[in-house]
Amino acid sequence: MAIPAALITGTIAYFIFGIIMLAVVFSMRSTGKLSPDDAAIGNVVVIIATVSMWLFWFCAWLHQWHPLISPIYEG
Protein backbone atom coordinates (compact mmCIF):
# COMPACT_ATOMS: atom_id res chain seq x y z
CA MET A 1 0.00 0.00 0.00
CA ALA A 2 1.52 3.28 -1.11
CA ILE A 3 1.54 6.45 0.97
CA PRO A 4 -0.90 8.98 -0.52
CA ALA A 5 0.67 12.03 -2.17
CA ALA A 6 -1.45 14.45 -0.12
CA LEU A 7 -0.02 13.02 3.09
CA ILE A 8 3.54 13.45 1.87
CA THR A 9 2.85 16.99 0.62
CA GLY A 10 1.24 18.08 3.88
CA THR A 11 4.00 16.55 5.97
CA ILE A 12 6.66 18.32 3.91
CA ALA A 13 4.75 21.60 4.23
CA TYR A 14 4.63 21.34 8.03
CA PHE A 15 8.30 20.33 8.13
CA ILE A 16 9.24 23.42 6.08
CA PHE A 17 7.05 25.60 8.32
CA GLY A 18 8.83 24.25 11.40
CA ILE A 19 12.27 24.87 9.87
CA ILE A 20 11.30 28.46 8.96
CA MET A 21 10.05 29.15 12.47
CA LEU A 22 13.21 27.67 14.01
CA ALA A 23 15.22 29.94 11.70
CA VAL A 24 13.22 32.93 12.98
CA VAL A 25 14.02 31.99 16.59
CA PHE A 26 17.69 31.47 15.68
CA SER A 27 17.90 34.82 13.89
CA MET A 28 16.31 36.60 16.85
CA ARG A 29 18.83 34.92 19.14
CA SER A 30 21.77 35.87 16.94
CA THR A 31 20.66 39.51 16.71
CA GLY A 32 20.31 39.74 20.49
CA LYS A 33 16.54 40.17 20.63
CA LEU A 34 16.24 36.92 22.62
CA SER A 35 18.36 35.73 25.49
CA PRO A 36 19.76 32.19 25.31
CA ASP A 37 17.13 30.96 27.76
CA ASP A 38 14.30 32.55 25.82
CA ALA A 39 15.66 31.12 22.57
CA ALA A 40 15.75 27.64 24.10
CA ILE A 41 12.13 28.00 25.21
CA GLY A 42 11.26 29.33 21.75
CA ASN A 43 12.82 26.28 20.12
CA VAL A 44 10.78 23.94 22.30
CA VAL A 45 7.57 25.90 21.68
CA VAL A 46 8.11 25.90 17.90
CA ILE A 47 8.79 22.15 17.79
CA ILE A 48 5.81 21.25 20.00
CA ALA A 49 3.48 23.61 18.10
CA THR A 50 4.57 22.29 14.71
CA VAL A 51 4.13 18.65 15.74
CA SER A 52 0.75 19.42 17.33
CA MET A 53 -0.52 21.25 14.25
CA TRP A 54 0.69 18.43 12.00
CA LEU A 55 -1.00 15.83 14.19
CA PHE A 56 -4.28 17.75 14.13
CA TRP A 57 -4.08 18.10 10.35
CA PHE A 58 -3.21 14.40 10.00
CA CYS A 59 -6.19 13.32 12.10
CA ALA A 60 -8.55 15.58 10.14
CA TRP A 61 -7.11 14.31 6.85
CA LEU A 62 -7.50 10.66 7.90
CA HIS A 63 -11.06 11.30 9.02
CA GLN A 64 -11.93 12.64 5.58
CA TRP A 65 -9.94 9.99 3.72
CA HIS A 66 -11.86 7.02 5.12
CA PRO A 67 -15.11 8.26 6.66
CA LEU A 68 -16.80 5.87 9.07
CA ILE A 69 -20.28 7.05 8.12
CA SER A 70 -21.09 7.50 4.44
CA PRO A 71 -24.01 9.72 3.41
CA ILE A 72 -27.19 8.16 2.12
CA TYR A 73 -28.60 10.09 -0.83
CA GLU A 74 -32.35 10.12 -1.24
CA GLY A 75 -33.91 11.73 -4.18
Side-chain angles (χ1 to χ4, degrees), residues 5-67:
L7 182 60
I8 293 171
T9 304
T11 301
I12 290 171
Y14 277 100
F15 183 75
I16 290 171
F17 172 75
I19 295 298
I20 290 171
M21 294 312 294
L22 285 174
V24 168
V25 171
F26 179 75
S27 66
M28 290 180 71
R29 166 67 178 101
S30 63
T31 58
K33 292 183 180 179
L34 286 178
S35 68
D37 292 337
D38 291 340
I41 291 171
N43 287 335
V44 171
V45 168
V46 165
I47 292 170
I48 290 174
T50 303
V51 170
S52 298
M53 288 187 297
W54 176 83
L55 186 60
F56 183 80
W57 170 81
F58 179 70
C59 289
W61 184 83
L62 273 181
H63 180 69
Q64 295 174 17
W65 188 38
H66 289 296

